Amino acid sequence: MVHRDCDISQPVETLHENEKLKARSHNLRGTIAHGLEDALTGAVPGEDPLLMKFHGIYQQDDRDRRADRRRRHLEPAYQFMVRLRIPGGMLTKRQWSGIDALSRRYAERGIRVTTRQTVQLHGVRKRHLRPLMQGLRKMNLDTIAACGDDSRGVVCGANPFLSSAHRRVAELARATSDRLLPRTGAYPEIWYQETAPKTDNEEPVYGGLYLPRKFKVGYAIPPVNDIDVYGQDLGLIAVVNNGRLLGFNVCVGGGMGQLDSREDSYPRLAEEIGFIEADEAPAFSETVMSIQRDFGDRKDRHRARFKYTLDRLGMDWFLKELASRRGRPLEPARSQRFEHNGDRLGWQRGDDGLWHATLYIESGRVDDALRAQISGLLEQYGGQLRLTTNQNLQLTHLEEHEIQTVHYRLEDLGLAWRLTPDTQAAHTLSCVALPTCGLAMAEAERYTPRLLDLFQRLKGQYGLADLPISLRLTGCPNGCARPYLGEVALTGRAPGLYNLYLGGSFQGGRLARLYAGNVDEARFLELLAPLLKSFARDRNDGEHFGDFLIRWRLLDDQPATPTP
């Protein structure tokens, strides 16, 4: 018997405060429209910042200026982060140029390409939110469900080697995104100031309480696990035979976030459970999400993710529930394998004869100088663009005769080096963290250049400078840069202090282990040095660092544990 004492079947008044807020929000309207008109504060007051997440908007403030403004008896320097919904990361030239123009006008901190294959604009003032949203609409872009308790933007592997299959997977990823979108009229009413048609059932899939927490869907195309498919709530792994997409192996229950202060909070790998036909993928995604909608924990938000629902109720229960809703059990999973979870940088040619080039962008940050360079490139560029889940920018759909011209243009603009960056840099991810993220406890993006330099010097001491090791850095344990899948990862604990995780796999199929807590820079280097020395001396040909650590059981004796 399934115990349902914490899910949507219970009276709303017994659930978490966030559930009560959603219930009384009138399908995410709240009083957001009124708060936007209040010129006396840079914030949106009351409960509305929580509701605005469903609209793709986070209220933040400049944490570098908090203390100074407090001394001067001023309110925090409120600003907003706006995250776009870009299924599969596909953009036209016009859309990228439009995003660039809007960011220059309304955002104070440039453009950031995220690990969810989309764009974030930071430093947007409240008075600029509506003009920004309306400007995005003119380019057929929006921000709905880029945050909040709903299906986050659907990600899709950027693999140029199987172009015909890739196109089909990208189509299914977009169809999945469209199918899982909230239907609330609140979005056009608030941001476009349009009256939505009245309906008795405004949210036919989500209902008035939406999901217990966020739900992430991702499509991967072997041999490249660039989306870290085992970190998704629902991962769909393409099964391709002779260039034809047959269907997907399904994996469920992945999730990166955790709380260091709770023992019942942990990252989890998704489990592969079977195979579905390709055309079923969007409807199948809705079915899986609806099970989480109905059975996810709505009393303890820290236990509300799908991974905890599966662990609480059991995989056997889930497979029976899935078969009941689907009308049949899953077929057995098909054979497939991944080689790595990074991007293939540089030039590649697809099986349709078109060319693709992936440009490295450190931490996904597109500052003023890089924006100008990309704008110059697009003036003589006839293809499309794609954002990757490793925070890079891909030029796509280039004809053979365009390659030389584009390459010359990349050299003229100082962009050519981004096709072949430093190997370690190309396998490093970091989140935004300070000064804008309210959850960050330590630096990430701003610290990455120094960390990379130190890590590369240390590797160089043992002749490993050219060997890639997946390195992840986040400002808190929530895991936006997917640290728990890295071979080496740091998650923020306090300014200058991190938890050190080691032993993830280069292919993205094994969790890293906590190795030491509250590590500063010097301790990080001290702990890694003997491990890298052993790796250089004793590794097998082609063996990766994480695999070596596991094979030699070098992580079994952890030197320290973190203090809650």
Side-chain angles (χ1 to χ4, degrees):
M1 180 177 177
V2 177
H3 295 285
R4 305 198 60 181
D5 57 347
C6 63
D7 64 28
I8 201 170
S9 67
Q10 302 302 301
V12 172
E13 57 268 21
T14 68
L15 304 181
H16 190 275
E17 288 300 318
N18 285 43
E19 301 300 310
K20 299 174 188 176
L21 169 60
K22 287 182 280 186
R24 63 176 178 265
S25 72
H26 189 35
N27 292 115
L28 309 181
R29 290 170 176 83
T31 58
I32 295 173
H34 176 74
L36 291 173
E37 302 296 338
D38 185 355
L40 296 180
T41 174
V44 174
E47 301 171 325
D48 289 331
L50 289 174
L51 295 177
M52 287 178 70
K53 292 181 181 180
F54 291 81
H55 300 252
I57 302 169
Y58 278 83
Q59 181 170 291
Q60 302 176 333
D61 72 283
D62 187 338
R63 294 174 62 182
D64 286 345
R65 300 170 60 191
R66 272 186 187 175
D68 176 66
R69 293 184 68 84
R70 189 180 299 118
R71 283 193 299 269
R72 296 162 59 197
H73 302 288
L74 298 173
E75 74 172 11
Y78 286 116
Q79 52 194 263
F80 295 83
M81 181 270 281
V82 178
R83 182 182 295 149
L84 278 62
R85 182 179 63 90
I86 308 174
M90 291 297 299
L91 291 170
T92 65
K93 279 175 50 178
R94 173 178 170 270
Q95 287 173 324
W96 176 270
S97 297
I99 291 170
D100 183 14
L102 290 172
S103 72
R104 292 174 187 275
R105 186 170 184 179
Y106 298 125
E108 298 174 6
R109 293 180 177 273
I111 295 171
R112 282 175 175 82
V113 180
T114 80
T115 55
R116 288 301 294 174
Q117 205 170 22
T118 187
V119 161
Q120 288 181 180
L121 304 177
H122 290 254
V124 180
R125 301 296 176 176
K126 184 172 73 172
R127 66 183 181 276
H128 292 149
L129 285 172
R130 271 202 184 113
L132 171 60
M133 305 291 255
Q134 292 169 7
L136 291 171
R137 185 193 194 189
K138 293 177 182 177
M139 297 177 288
N140 295 319
L141 293 171
D142 59 52
T143 66
I144 190 168
C147 317
D149 300 342
D150 44 39
S151 169
R152 297 292 178 93
V154 175
V155 296
C156 180
N159 182 354
F161 298 105
L162 301 169
S163 294
S164 58
H166 175 264
R167 284 194 297 274
R168 181 61 182 143
V169 173
E171 291 168 358
L172 290 167
R174 177 170 287 278
T176 302
S177 175
D178 291 343
R179 187 172 185 126
L180 302 185
L181 274 183
R183 305 300 175 190
T184 176
Y187 193 87
E189 288 176 16
I190 294 170
W191 306 112
Y192 309 149
Q193 297 179 292
E194 296 179 351
T195 302
K198 293 187 179 299
T199 175
D200 295 332
N201 188 15
E202 196 166 355
E203 290 287 11
V205 173
Y206 285 101
L209 295 187
Y210 294 82
L211 298 182
R213 287 296 290 265
K214 60 188 174 184
F215 190 85
K216 296 183 176 181
V217 180
Y219 287 79
I221 310 174
V224 182
N225 184 19
D226 49 357
I227 72 161
D228 278 328
V229 70
Y230 299 109
Q232 311 290 328
D233 291 276
L234 172 61
L236 298 125
I237 303 170
V239 178
V240 179
N241 185 21
N242 293 324
R244 186 171 70 89
L245 177 66
L246 301 180
F248 298 95
N249 285 349
V250 176
C251 53
V252 295
M256 291 291 96
Q258 72 170 22
L259 285 176
D260 289 341
S261 59
R262 286 183 58 158
E263 292 184 359
D264 62 350
S265 179
Y266 45 81
R268 187 186 192 276
L269 284 181
E271 299 177 58
E272 203 163 286
I273 59 172
F275 173 86
I276 62 171
E277 299 292 332
D279 291 344
E280 188 191 352
F284 181 86
S285 300
E286 181 181 315
T287 299
V288 174
M289 189 182 79
S290 71
I291 295 174
Q292 166 64 355
R293 176 199 64 201
D294 296 343
F295 291 94
D297 193 326
R298 292 179 183 263
K299 290 187 176 181
D300 184 351
R301 277 186 67 81
H302 295 307
R303 297 278 298 174
R305 287 291 299 274
F306 187 38
K307 60 184 178 181
Y308 298 122
T309 304
L310 293 176
D311 287 347
R312 174 168 52 89
L313 299 177
M315 188 60 74
D316 289 343
W317 165 84
F318 171 74
L319 292 174
K320 290 177 183 177
E321 182 69 21
L322 178 63
S324 174
R325 296 192 183 205
R326 186 170 172 255
R328 62 192 186 282
L330 294 167
E331 297 180 30
R334 309 289 176 87
S335 176
Q336 55 80 26
R337 67 182 294 269
F338 289 114
E339 295 177 357
H340 69 97
N341 63 351
D343 288 337
R344 296 227 188 247
L345 296 169
W347 291 100
Q348 291 92 34
R349 189 179 192 181
D351 62 7
D352 57 1
L354 296 177
W355 286 84
H356 315 263
T358 305
L359 303 178
Y360 165 71
I361 301 178
E362 184 179 84
S363 299
R365 185 174 183 177
V366 184
D367 58 18
D368 288 343
L370 182 53
R371 284 195 295 188
Q373 290 173 312
I374 294 174
S375 294
L377 172 66
L378 296 186
E379 292 174 1
Q380 295 178 289
Y381 172 67
Q384 299 181 39
L385 297 101
R386 186 183 179 107
L387 311 174
T388 82
T389 54
N390 288 300
Q391 301 176 291
N392 296 317
L393 180 66
Q394 192 174 48
L395 311 176
T396 69
H397 300 87
L398 286 166
E399 299 283 354
E400 179 81 33
H401 67 272
E402 297 178 279
I403 300 300
Q404 190 173 34
T405 300
V406 170
H407 190 73
Y408 286 153
R409 189 62 174 153
L410 289 170
E411 289 183 336
D412 290 343
L413 292 166
L415 291 170
W417 72 270
R418 295 180 181 275
L419 295 168
T420 54
D422 173 84
T423 301
Q424 184 54 56
H427 290 85
T428 300
L429 296 179
S430 64
C431 69
V432 173
L434 297 169
T436 54
C437 179
L439 299 176
M441 295 182 276
E443 295 283 359
E445 177 196 291
R446 296 194 298 193
Y447 180 52
T448 296
R450 176 173 173 81
L451 178 67
L452 264 174
D453 181 60
L454 293 170
F455 189 51
Q456 272 295 75
R457 290 186 187 183
L458 184 62
K459 288 169 59 183
Q461 291 180 26
Y462 305 107
L464 300 170
D466 295 330
L467 188 77
I469 296 174
S470 61
L471 173 66
R472 309 286 173 85
L473 174 64
T474 63
C476 79
N478 280 290
C480 290
R482 309 190 292 275
Y484 308 109
L485 292 170
E487 294 178 281
V488 177
L490 294 169
T491 64
R493 295 278 294 163
L497 294 177
Y498 301 84
N499 281 350
L500 172 62
Y501 289 81
L502 298 174
S505 75
F506 192 70
Q507 297 80 21
R510 181 179 60 241
L511 286 177
R513 303 181 189 179
L514 177 62
Y515 189 67
N518 298 324
V519 171
D520 62 12
E521 184 178 281
R523 182 64 172 154
F524 169 73
L525 298 174
E526 178 186 357
L527 290 170
L528 276 183
L531 300 177
L532 289 170
K533 182 179 180 180
S534 296
F535 177 55
R537 183 186 61 228
D538 299 324
R539 67 189 173 100
N540 294 330
D541 289 343
E543 187 173 27
H544 289 285
F545 185 54
D547 297 334
F548 173 82
L549 295 176
I550 299 300
R551 180 170 67 86
W552 281 83
R553 303 177 65 85
L554 295 177
L555 306 182
D556 290 353
D557 296 323
Q558 299 174 2
T561 55
T563 301

